[in-house]
Amino acid sequence: MALERERRARLVVALAMALWISGAMRAEAQFKVGFYSQSCPRAEAIVKEEIEKALADDEGVGADLLRMHFHDCFVRGCDGSILLDSTNNSTAEKDAQINLTLEGFDIIDDVKEKLEAACKGVVSCADLLAFAARDAVVHYGGIHYEVPSGRRDGRISVASDTDILPSPDFKLAKLTDLFVSKGLSQSEMIVLSGAHTVGIAHCDAFSKRLDSADPRMDGKYAAALRKECPPASNNTVSMDPQSPHKFDNHYYRLVLDSRSLFTSDDTLLSAWSTAAQVKRLACDFKGFQREFAAAIVKMGAIGVLTGSGGEVRTNCRVVN
């Protein structure tokens, strides 16, 4: 009798393991590099062509697409929920205060129209955004990296869900806790912060540092910023004035020189280990490029919907 119970227990364990492996293999098959190789072979090429056209007209909007991808993934996972419009009954993520300065939604619409013309109902908005962010990085001089695809689009977008997104005032511990909660390490958080090497910031995002004469900000730099950001204004300044449209590692040099804009940037120097990583990345351009590519691919896998989950929207602004 005891032998029979043991045999049955082993069978149950073996069956459970087999089911787990089968499920993992199915999930991997549904989210992989080249997911559209048969169903829409030119999908990534179409996205790249349209993003290049858009950046030729407005080179700065690529930074918005990169930030949009980040904000999408950290709220409900990488499901394109940031692209949904508000309805009469619900305010969507894109209309939350933290996302009001985002531009580029019209670009996503244009790309989606081209994809629908080529392969109707095949390429998700979530994948489109992940491809667009990669192509923006490449346009700015970053290395090309392969983007796994097969994401499905979510049907829910709620403005209050964006409350978890990092504020420019976040300190190291809070930033680290947030990224770890999403499956990303502190090291990967520092690497992804390097995206601040491109784009602009509104003055109200760092005005507290100017108003309080933050001693951790270079005095001459603070004086120059006060001229660009007079009281009650909400002008914009380049995150990296020296190379605002170049995906380089200059951001880390600015942090080391006390010339970063946000508290959440300066705080990377508040611990010995994180400061050491900032110093290393400031001196290792190729290393930064490689590590950023790996980190954003990992970020792009947060909470993805695959298989029968979600849907593939025909219009990124509304559910089907």
PDB file of all heavy atoms in Angstrom, residues 56-94:
ATOM      1  N   ALA A  56      12.556  62.544 -38.574  1.00  0.00           N
ATOM      2  CA  ALA A  56      13.097  63.513 -39.522  1.00  0.00           C
ATOM      3  C   ALA A  56      12.352  64.839 -39.394  1.00  0.00           C
ATOM      4  O   ALA A  56      12.928  65.917 -39.599  1.00  0.00           O
ATOM      5  CB  ALA A  56      12.978  62.979 -40.955  1.00  0.00           C
ATOM      6  N   ASP A  57      11.069  64.766 -39.019  1.00  0.00           N
ATOM      7  CA  ASP A  57      10.261  65.970 -38.834  1.00  0.00           C
ATOM      8  C   ASP A  57      10.442  66.570 -37.444  1.00  0.00           C
ATOM      9  O   ASP A  57      10.430  67.790 -37.279  1.00  0.00           O
ATOM     10  CB  ASP A  57       8.762  65.647 -39.042  1.00  0.00           C
ATOM     11  CG  ASP A  57       8.439  65.319 -40.485  1.00  0.00           C
ATOM     12  OD1 ASP A  57       9.171  65.780 -41.384  1.00  0.00           O
ATOM     13  OD2 ASP A  57       7.456  64.596 -40.718  1.00  0.00           O
ATOM     14  N   ASP A  58      10.595  65.726 -36.440  1.00  0.00           N
ATOM     15  CA  ASP A  58      10.732  66.181 -35.054  1.00  0.00           C
ATOM     16  C   ASP A  58      11.641  65.202 -34.326  1.00  0.00           C
ATOM     17  O   ASP A  58      11.187  64.201 -33.775  1.00  0.00           O
ATOM     18  CB  ASP A  58       9.352  66.257 -34.379  1.00  0.00           C
ATOM     19  CG  ASP A  58       9.427  66.720 -32.932  1.00  0.00           C
ATOM     20  OD1 ASP A  58      10.543  67.028 -32.453  1.00  0.00           O
ATOM     21  OD2 ASP A  58       8.372  66.767 -32.268  1.00  0.00           O
ATOM     22  N   GLU A  59      12.929  65.513 -34.307  1.00  0.00           N
ATOM     23  CA  GLU A  59      13.897  64.561 -33.776  1.00  0.00           C
ATOM     24  C   GLU A  59      13.710  64.299 -32.289  1.00  0.00           C
ATOM     25  O   GLU A  59      14.011  63.217 -31.786  1.00  0.00           O
ATOM     26  CB  GLU A  59      15.327  65.042 -34.035  1.00  0.00           C
ATOM     27  CG  GLU A  59      16.358  63.963 -33.783  1.00  0.00           C
ATOM     28  CD  GLU A  59      17.714  64.293 -34.365  1.00  0.00           C
ATOM     29  OE1 GLU A  59      18.036  65.496 -34.486  1.00  0.00           O
ATOM     30  OE2 GLU A  59      18.458  63.356 -34.699  1.00  0.00           O
ATOM     31  N   GLY A  60      13.166  65.261 -31.573  1.00  0.00           N
ATOM     32  CA  GLY A  60      13.026  65.104 -30.130  1.00  0.00           C
ATOM     33  C   GLY A  60      11.962  64.119 -29.690  1.00  0.00           C
ATOM     34  O   GLY A  60      11.997  63.618 -28.564  1.00  0.00           O
ATOM     35  N   VAL A  61      11.007  63.811 -30.588  1.00  0.00           N
ATOM     36  CA  VAL A  61       9.875  62.980 -30.171  1.00  0.00           C
ATOM     37  C   VAL A  61      10.274  61.523 -29.913  1.00  0.00           C
ATOM     38  O   VAL A  61       9.552  60.785 -29.251  1.00  0.00           O
ATOM     39  CB  VAL A  61       8.735  63.055 -31.224  1.00  0.00           C
ATOM     40  CG1 VAL A  61       9.057  62.188 -32.441  1.00  0.00           C
ATOM     41  CG2 VAL A  61       7.392  62.662 -30.624  1.00  0.00           C
ATOM     42  N   GLY A  62      11.438  61.125 -30.380  1.00  0.00           N
ATOM     43  CA  GLY A  62      11.906  59.769 -30.096  1.00  0.00           C
ATOM     44  C   GLY A  62      12.060  59.514 -28.611  1.00  0.00           C
ATOM     45  O   GLY A  62      11.805  58.410 -28.119  1.00  0.00           O
ATOM     46  N   ALA A  63      12.477  60.544 -27.862  1.00  0.00           N
ATOM     47  CA  ALA A  63      12.608  60.402 -26.411  1.00  0.00           C
ATOM     48  C   ALA A  63      11.245  60.178 -25.770  1.00  0.00           C
ATOM     49  O   ALA A  63      11.125  59.456 -24.772  1.00  0.00           O
ATOM     50  CB  ALA A  63      13.273  61.653 -25.824  1.00  0.00           C
ATOM     51  N   ASP A  64      10.203  60.787 -26.348  1.00  0.00           N
ATOM     52  CA  ASP A  64       8.848  60.572 -25.842  1.00  0.00           C
ATOM     53  C   ASP A  64       8.413  59.128 -26.051  1.00  0.00           C
ATOM     54  O   ASP A  64       7.763  58.528 -25.182  1.00  0.00           O
ATOM     55  CB  ASP A  64       7.865  61.507 -26.557  1.00  0.00           C
ATOM     56  CG  ASP A  64       8.036  62.962 -26.141  1.00  0.00           C
ATOM     57  OD1 ASP A  64       7.415  63.360 -25.150  1.00  0.00           O
ATOM     58  OD2 ASP A  64       8.797  63.683 -26.807  1.00  0.00           O
ATOM     59  N   LEU A  65       8.747  58.571 -27.208  1.00  0.00           N
ATOM     60  CA  LEU A  65       8.374  57.186 -27.492  1.00  0.00           C
ATOM     61  C   LEU A  65       9.062  56.225 -26.532  1.00  0.00           C
ATOM     62  O   LEU A  65       8.474  55.235 -26.081  1.00  0.00           O
ATOM     63  CB  LEU A  65       8.726  56.834 -28.941  1.00  0.00           C
ATOM     64  CG  LEU A  65       7.977  57.634 -30.015  1.00  0.00           C
ATOM     65  CD1 LEU A  65       8.517  57.302 -31.403  1.00  0.00           C
ATOM     66  CD2 LEU A  65       6.474  57.351 -29.956  1.00  0.00           C
ATOM     67  N   LEU A  66      10.302  56.524 -26.204  1.00  0.00           N
ATOM     68  CA  LEU A  66      11.053  55.701 -25.250  1.00  0.00           C
ATOM     69  C   LEU A  66      10.422  55.792 -23.863  1.00  0.00           C
ATOM     70  O   LEU A  66      10.216  54.774 -23.188  1.00  0.00           O
ATOM     71  CB  LEU A  66      12.508  56.178 -25.218  1.00  0.00           C
ATOM     72  CG  LEU A  66      13.512  55.389 -24.383  1.00  0.00           C
ATOM     73  CD1 LEU A  66      13.531  53.930 -24.772  1.00  0.00           C
ATOM     74  CD2 LEU A  66      14.905  56.006 -24.541  1.00  0.00           C
ATOM     75  N   ARG A  67      10.086  56.997 -23.448  1.00  0.00           N
ATOM     76  CA  ARG A  67       9.447  57.192 -22.147  1.00  0.00           C
ATOM     77  C   ARG A  67       8.055  56.564 -22.125  1.00  0.00           C
ATOM     78  O   ARG A  67       7.632  55.992 -21.114  1.00  0.00           O
ATOM     79  CB  ARG A  67       9.367  58.693 -21.857  1.00  0.00           C
ATOM     80  CG  ARG A  67       8.771  59.048 -20.506  1.00  0.00           C
ATOM     81  CD  ARG A  67       8.918  60.545 -20.250  1.00  0.00           C
ATOM     82  NE  ARG A  67       8.089  60.978 -19.141  1.00  0.00           N
ATOM     83  CZ  ARG A  67       7.291  62.034 -19.166  1.00  0.00           C
ATOM     84  NH1 ARG A  67       7.200  62.757 -20.272  1.00  0.00           N
ATOM     85  NH2 ARG A  67       6.587  62.385 -18.114  1.00  0.00           N
ATOM     86  N   MET A  68       7.356  56.638 -23.248  1.00  0.00           N
ATOM     87  CA  MET A  68       6.022  56.056 -23.349  1.00  0.00           C
ATOM     88  C   MET A  68       6.083  54.540 -23.127  1.00  0.00           C
ATOM     89  O   MET A  68       5.233  53.958 -22.440  1.00  0.00           O
ATOM     90  CB  MET A  68       5.442  56.370 -24.739  1.00  0.00           C
ATOM     91  CG  MET A  68       3.952  56.167 -24.885  1.00  0.00           C
ATOM     92  SD  MET A  68       3.410  56.482 -26.606  1.00  0.00           S
ATOM     93  CE  MET A  68       3.754  58.229 -26.783  1.00  0.00           C
ATOM     94  N   HIS A  69       7.078  53.899 -23.715  1.00  0.00           N
ATOM     95  CA  HIS A  69       7.255  52.454 -23.548  1.00  0.00           C
ATOM     96  C   HIS A  69       7.513  52.114 -22.087  1.00  0.00           C
ATOM     97  O   HIS A  69       6.941  51.166 -21.536  1.00  0.00           O
ATOM     98  CB  HIS A  69       8.407  51.995 -24.439  1.00  0.00           C
ATOM     99  CG  HIS A  69       8.722  50.533 -24.371  1.00  0.00           C
ATOM    100  ND1 HIS A  69       7.762  49.549 -24.362  1.00  0.00           N
ATOM    101  CD2 HIS A  69       9.923  49.880 -24.306  1.00  0.00           C
ATOM    102  CE1 HIS A  69       8.331  48.355 -24.309  1.00  0.00           C
ATOM    103  NE2 HIS A  69       9.637  48.537 -24.255  1.00  0.00           N
ATOM    104  N   PHE A  70       8.367  52.898 -21.436  1.00  0.00           N
ATOM    105  CA  PHE A  70       8.677  52.695 -20.030  1.00  0.00           C
ATOM    106  C   PHE A  70       7.423  52.840 -19.170  1.00  0.00           C
ATOM    107  O   PHE A  70       7.115  51.984 -18.328  1.00  0.00           O
ATOM    108  CB  PHE A  70       9.751  53.692 -19.593  1.00  0.00           C
ATOM    109  CG  PHE A  70       9.955  53.785 -18.102  1.00  0.00           C
ATOM    110  CD1 PHE A  70      10.489  52.729 -17.388  1.00  0.00           C
ATOM    111  CD2 PHE A  70       9.614  54.937 -17.415  1.00  0.00           C
ATOM    112  CE1 PHE A  70      10.671  52.811 -16.019  1.00  0.00           C
ATOM    113  CE2 PHE A  70       9.792  55.035 -16.044  1.00  0.00           C
ATOM    114  CZ  PHE A  70      10.325  53.972 -15.347  1.00  0.00           C
ATOM    115  N   HIS A  71       6.668  53.912 -19.386  1.00  0.00           N
ATOM    116  CA  HIS A  71       5.458  54.153 -18.597  1.00  0.00           C
ATOM    117  C   HIS A  71       4.400  53.092 -18.869  1.00  0.00           C
ATOM    118  O   HIS A  71       3.625  52.745 -17.975  1.00  0.00           O
ATOM    119  CB  HIS A  71       4.906  55.547 -18.893  1.00  0.00           C
ATOM    120  CG  HIS A  71       5.670  56.646 -18.234  1.00  0.00           C
ATOM    121  ND1 HIS A  71       5.147  57.904 -18.023  1.00  0.00           N
ATOM    122  CD2 HIS A  71       6.928  56.678 -17.713  1.00  0.00           C
ATOM    123  CE1 HIS A  71       6.053  58.658 -17.404  1.00  0.00           C
ATOM    124  NE2 HIS A  71       7.142  57.932 -17.224  1.00  0.00           N
ATOM    125  N   ASP A  72       4.368  52.580 -20.087  1.00  0.00           N
ATOM    126  CA  ASP A  72       3.410  51.515 -20.407  1.00  0.00           C
ATOM    127  C   ASP A  72       3.751  50.254 -19.622  1.00  0.00           C
ATOM    128  O   ASP A  72       2.884  49.635 -18.999  1.00  0.00           O
ATOM    129  CB  ASP A  72       3.429  51.233 -21.906  1.00  0.00           C
ATOM    130  CG  ASP A  72       2.414  50.163 -22.307  1.00  0.00           C
ATOM    131  OD1 ASP A  72       1.258  50.245 -21.855  1.00  0.00           O
ATOM    132  OD2 ASP A  72       2.765  49.263 -23.084  1.00  0.00           O
ATOM    133  N   CYS A  73       5.019  49.874 -19.643  1.00  0.00           N
ATOM    134  CA  CYS A  73       5.424  48.610 -19.022  1.00  0.00           C
ATOM    135  C   CYS A  73       5.277  48.620 -17.506  1.00  0.00           C
ATOM    136  O   CYS A  73       4.968  47.595 -16.897  1.00  0.00           O
ATOM    137  CB  CYS A  73       6.863  48.275 -19.400  1.00  0.00           C
ATOM    138  SG  CYS A  73       7.058  47.788 -21.130  1.00  0.00           S
ATOM    139  N   PHE A  74       5.472  49.765 -16.875  1.00  0.00           N
ATOM    140  CA  PHE A  74       5.424  49.823 -15.418  1.00  0.00           C
ATOM    141  C   PHE A  74       3.997  49.890 -14.882  1.00  0.00           C
ATOM    142  O   PHE A  74       3.777  49.741 -13.684  1.00  0.00           O
ATOM    143  CB  PHE A  74       6.248  51.007 -14.908  1.00  0.00           C
ATOM    144  CG  PHE A  74       7.667  50.639 -14.552  1.00  0.00           C
ATOM    145  CD1 PHE A  74       8.508  50.074 -15.496  1.00  0.00           C
ATOM    146  CD2 PHE A  74       8.148  50.836 -13.272  1.00  0.00           C
ATOM    147  CE1 PHE A  74       9.808  49.715 -15.178  1.00  0.00           C
ATOM    148  CE2 PHE A  74       9.446  50.477 -12.946  1.00  0.00           C
ATOM    149  CZ  PHE A  74      10.282  49.912 -13.898  1.00  0.00           C
ATOM    150  N   VAL A  75       3.025  50.124 -15.750  1.00  0.00           N
ATOM    151  CA  VAL A  75       1.619  50.160 -15.338  1.00  0.00           C
ATOM    152  C   VAL A  75       0.872  49.028 -16.047  1.00  0.00           C
ATOM    153  O   VAL A  75       0.739  49.040 -17.263  1.00  0.00           O
ATOM    154  CB  VAL A  75       0.971  51.507 -15.684  1.00  0.00           C
ATOM    155  CG1 VAL A  75      -0.503  51.518 -15.279  1.00  0.00           C
ATOM    156  CG2 VAL A  75       1.712  52.650 -14.999  1.00  0.00           C
ATOM    157  N   ARG A  76       0.468  48.017 -15.335  1.00  0.00           N
ATOM    158  CA  ARG A  76      -0.260  46.863 -15.886  1.00  0.00           C
ATOM    159  C   ARG A  76       0.566  46.027 -16.861  1.00  0.00           C
ATOM    160  O   ARG A  76       0.023  45.215 -17.600  1.00  0.00           O
ATOM    161  CB  ARG A  76      -1.551  47.320 -16.585  1.00  0.00           C
ATOM    162  CG  ARG A  76      -2.597  47.864 -15.643  1.00  0.00           C
ATOM    163  CD  ARG A  76      -3.912  48.170 -16.363  1.00  0.00           C
ATOM    164  NE  ARG A  76      -4.917  48.569 -15.400  1.00  0.00           N
ATOM    165  CZ  ARG A  76      -5.709  47.718 -14.742  1.00  0.00           C
ATOM    166  NH1 ARG A  76      -5.612  46.427 -14.974  1.00  0.00           N
ATOM    167  NH2 ARG A  76      -6.596  48.152 -13.866  1.00  0.00           N
ATOM    168  N   GLY A  77       1.874  46.227 -16.905  1.00  0.00           N
ATOM    169  CA  GLY A  77       2.704  45.470 -17.832  1.00  0.00           C
ATOM    170  C   GLY A  77       2.696  46.086 -19.216  1.00  0.00           C
ATOM    171  O   GLY A  77       1.962  47.039 -19.504  1.00  0.00           O
ATOM    172  N   CYS A  78       3.517  45.540 -20.106  1.00  0.00           N
ATOM    173  CA  CYS A  78       3.677  46.098 -21.458  1.00  0.00           C
ATOM    174  C   CYS A  78       2.503  45.663 -22.336  1.00  0.00           C
ATOM    175  O   CYS A  78       2.615  44.742 -23.149  1.00  0.00           O
ATOM    176  CB  CYS A  78       4.988  45.615 -22.075  1.00  0.00           C
ATOM    177  SG  CYS A  78       6.433  45.848 -21.020  1.00  0.00           S
ATOM    178  N   ASP A  79       1.372  46.339 -22.159  1.00  0.00           N
ATOM    179  CA  ASP A  79       0.142  45.921 -22.848  1.00  0.00           C
ATOM    180  C   ASP A  79      -0.491  47.020 -23.686  1.00  0.00           C
ATOM    181  O   ASP A  79      -1.632  46.903 -24.115  1.00  0.00           O
ATOM    182  CB  ASP A  79      -0.884  45.409 -21.822  1.00  0.00           C
ATOM    183  CG  ASP A  79      -1.396  46.520 -20.908  1.00  0.00           C
ATOM    184  OD1 ASP A  79      -0.794  47.616 -20.889  1.00  0.00           O
ATOM    185  OD2 ASP A  79      -2.409  46.285 -20.210  1.00  0.00           O
ATOM    186  N   GLY A  80       0.240  48.109 -23.917  1.00  0.00           N
ATOM    187  CA  GLY A  80      -0.287  49.186 -24.745  1.00  0.00           C
ATOM    188  C   GLY A  80      -1.403  49.973 -24.093  1.00  0.00           C
ATOM    189  O   GLY A  80      -2.068  50.771 -24.766  1.00  0.00           O
ATOM    190  N   SER A  81      -1.596  49.816 -22.788  1.00  0.00           N
ATOM    191  CA  SER A  81      -2.694  50.521 -22.121  1.00  0.00           C
ATOM    192  C   SER A  81      -2.491  52.027 -22.099  1.00  0.00           C
ATOM    193  O   SER A  81      -3.458  52.787 -22.024  1.00  0.00           O
ATOM    194  CB  SER A  81      -2.893  49.990 -20.699  1.00  0.00           C
ATOM    195  OG  SER A  81      -1.701  50.067 -19.950  1.00  0.00           O
ATOM    196  N   ILE A  82      -1.246  52.480 -22.213  1.00  0.00           N
ATOM    197  CA  ILE A  82      -0.981  53.919 -22.215  1.00  0.00           C
ATOM    198  C   ILE A  82      -1.504  54.585 -23.484  1.00  0.00           C
ATOM    199  O   ILE A  82      -1.680  55.807 -23.541  1.00  0.00           O
ATOM    200  CB  ILE A  82       0.533  54.197 -22.055  1.00  0.00           C
ATOM    201  CG1 ILE A  82       0.755  55.661 -21.670  1.00  0.00           C
ATOM    202  CG2 ILE A  82       1.297  53.836 -23.338  1.00  0.00           C
ATOM    203  CD1 ILE A  82       2.178  55.983 -21.287  1.00  0.00           C
ATOM    204  N   LEU A  83      -1.790  53.794 -24.505  1.00  0.00           N
ATOM    205  CA  LEU A  83      -2.238  54.337 -25.795  1.00  0.00           C
ATOM    206  C   LEU A  83      -3.749  54.539 -25.861  1.00  0.00           C
ATOM    207  O   LEU A  83      -4.243  55.218 -26.759  1.00  0.00           O
ATOM    208  CB  LEU A  83      -1.798  53.404 -26.930  1.00  0.00           C
ATOM    209  CG  LEU A  83      -0.300  53.111 -27.003  1.00  0.00           C
ATOM    210  CD1 LEU A  83      -0.020  52.058 -28.068  1.00  0.00           C
ATOM    211  CD2 LEU A  83       0.494  54.384 -27.283  1.00  0.00           C
ATOM    212  N   LEU A  84      -4.479  53.948 -24.909  1.00  0.00           N
ATOM    213  CA  LEU A  84      -5.937  54.053 -24.930  1.00  0.00           C
ATOM    214  C   LEU A  84      -6.398  55.452 -24.539  1.00  0.00           C
ATOM    215  O   LEU A  84      -5.840  56.083 -23.634  1.00  0.00           O
ATOM    216  CB  LEU A  84      -6.555  53.035 -23.973  1.00  0.00           C
ATOM    217  CG  LEU A  84      -6.527  51.569 -24.432  1.00  0.00           C
ATOM    218  CD1 LEU A  84      -6.926  50.655 -23.279  1.00  0.00           C
ATOM    219  CD2 LEU A  84      -7.447  51.356 -25.623  1.00  0.00           C
ATOM    220  N   ASP A  85      -7.431  55.950 -25.221  1.00  0.00           N
ATOM    221  CA  ASP A  85      -8.025  57.241 -24.897  1.00  0.00           C
ATOM    222  C   ASP A  85      -8.963  57.122 -23.706  1.00  0.00           C
ATOM    223  O   ASP A  85      -9.525  56.042 -23.437  1.00  0.00           O
ATOM    224  CB  ASP A  85      -8.818  57.787 -26.088  1.00  0.00           C
ATOM    225  CG  ASP A  85      -7.928  58.356 -27.186  1.00  0.00           C
ATOM    226  OD1 ASP A  85      -6.724  58.571 -26.927  1.00  0.00           O
ATOM    227  OD2 ASP A  85      -8.439  58.575 -28.300  1.00  0.00           O
ATOM    228  N   SER A  86      -9.165  58.233 -23.020  1.00  0.00           N
ATOM    229  CA  SER A  86     -10.160  58.282 -21.952  1.00  0.00           C
ATOM    230  C   SER A  86     -11.561  58.128 -22.543  1.00  0.00           C
ATOM    231  O   SER A  86     -11.801  58.414 -23.718  1.00  0.00           O
ATOM    232  CB  SER A  86     -10.067  59.606 -21.202  1.00  0.00           C
ATOM    233  OG  SER A  86      -8.829  59.731 -20.536  1.00  0.00           O
ATOM    234  N   THR A  87     -12.480  57.663 -21.729  1.00  0.00           N
ATOM    235  CA  THR A  87     -13.880  57.530 -22.128  1.00  0.00           C
ATOM    236  C   THR A  87     -14.736  58.403 -21.218  1.00  0.00           C
ATOM    237  O   THR A  87     -14.228  59.044 -20.279  1.00  0.00           O
ATOM    238  CB  THR A  87     -14.345  56.066 -22.013  1.00  0.00           C
ATOM    239  OG1 THR A  87     -14.347  55.693 -20.620  1.00  0.00           O
ATOM    240  CG2 THR A  87     -13.414  55.133 -22.787  1.00  0.00           C
ATOM    241  N   ASN A  88     -16.011  58.431 -21.478  1.00  0.00           N
ATOM    242  CA  ASN A  88     -16.923  59.201 -20.632  1.00  0.00           C
ATOM    243  C   ASN A  88     -16.933  58.691 -19.196  1.00  0.00           C
ATOM    244  O   ASN A  88     -17.232  59.433 -18.260  1.00  0.00           O
ATOM    245  CB  ASN A  88     -18.342  59.153 -21.199  1.00  0.00           C
ATOM    246  CG  ASN A  88     -18.463  59.915 -22.514  1.00  0.00           C
ATOM    247  OD1 ASN A  88     -17.699  60.851 -22.760  1.00  0.00           O
ATOM    248  ND2 ASN A  88     -19.405  59.520 -23.356  1.00  0.00           N
ATOM    249  N   ASN A  89     -16.588  57.426 -19.030  1.00  0.00           N
ATOM    250  CA  ASN A  89     -16.669  56.797 -17.717  1.00  0.00           C
ATOM    251  C   ASN A  89     -15.329  56.637 -17.013  1.00  0.00           C
ATOM    252  O   ASN A  89     -15.289  56.300 -15.832  1.00  0.00           O
ATOM    253  CB  ASN A  89     -17.321  55.412 -17.838  1.00  0.00           C
ATOM    254  CG  ASN A  89     -18.723  55.485 -18.404  1.00  0.00           C
ATOM    255  OD1 ASN A  89     -19.479  56.370 -18.052  1.00  0.00           O
ATOM    256  ND2 ASN A  89     -19.054  54.555 -19.288  1.00  0.00           N
ATOM    257  N   SER A  90     -14.237  56.852 -17.737  1.00  0.00           N
ATOM    258  CA  SER A  90     -12.927  56.582 -17.130  1.00  0.00           C
ATOM    259  C   SER A  90     -11.832  57.455 -17.740  1.00  0.00           C
ATOM    260  O   SER A  90     -11.793  57.642 -18.967  1.00  0.00           O
ATOM    261  CB  SER A  90     -12.558  55.101 -17.313  1.00  0.00           C
ATOM    262  OG  SER A  90     -11.279  54.819 -16.810  1.00  0.00           O
ATOM    263  N   THR A  91     -10.970  57.992 -16.878  1.00  0.00           N
ATOM    264  CA  THR A  91      -9.808  58.749 -17.340  1.00  0.00           C
ATOM    265  C   THR A  91      -8.652  57.772 -17.539  1.00  0.00           C
ATOM    266  O   THR A  91      -8.304  57.022 -16.632  1.00  0.00           O
ATOM    267  CB  THR A  91      -9.402  59.824 -16.313  1.00  0.00           C
ATOM    268  OG1 THR A  91     -10.518  60.683 -16.068  1.00  0.00           O
ATOM    269  CG2 THR A  91      -8.232  60.648 -16.830  1.00  0.00           C
ATOM    270  N   ALA A  92      -8.082  57.776 -18.725  1.00  0.00           N
ATOM    271  CA  ALA A  92      -7.045  56.808 -19.086  1.00  0.00           C
ATOM    272  C   ALA A  92      -5.661  57.250 -18.622  1.00  0.00           C
ATOM    273  O   ALA A  92      -5.440  58.411 -18.248  1.00  0.00           O
ATOM    274  CB  ALA A  92      -7.051  56.591 -20.588  1.00  0.00           C
ATOM    275  N   GLU A  93      -4.710  56.320 -18.686  1.00  0.00           N
ATOM    276  CA  GLU A  93      -3.333  56.579 -18.257  1.00  0.00           C
ATOM    277  C   GLU A  93      -2.727  57.793 -18.951  1.00  0.00           C
ATOM    278  O   GLU A  93      -2.026  58.594 -18.333  1.00  0.00           O
ATOM    279  CB  GLU A  93      -2.457  55.355 -18.549  1.00  0.00           C
ATOM    280  CG  GLU A  93      -2.771  54.127 -17.730  1.00  0.00           C
ATOM    281  CD  GLU A  93      -2.046  52.898 -18.252  1.00  0.00           C
ATOM    282  OE1 GLU A  93      -0.905  53.045 -18.743  1.00  0.00           O
ATOM    283  OE2 GLU A  93      -2.611  51.794 -18.183  1.00  0.00           O
ATOM    284  N   LYS A  94      -2.971  57.930 -20.250  1.00  0.00           N
ATOM    285  CA  LYS A  94      -2.332  59.015 -21.004  1.00  0.00           C
ATOM    286  C   LYS A  94      -2.753  60.393 -20.505  1.00  0.00           C
ATOM    287  O   LYS A  94      -2.054  61.379 -20.737  1.00  0.00           O
ATOM    288  CB  LYS A  94      -2.614  58.888 -22.499  1.00  0.00           C
ATOM    289  CG  LYS A  94      -4.074  59.057 -22.877  1.00  0.00           C
ATOM    290  CD  LYS A  94      -4.271  59.273 -24.383  1.00  0.00           C
ATOM    291  CE  LYS A  94      -3.715  58.160 -25.234  1.00  0.00           C
ATOM    292  NZ  LYS A  94      -4.129  58.296 -26.648  1.00  0.00           N
TER     293      LYS A  94
END
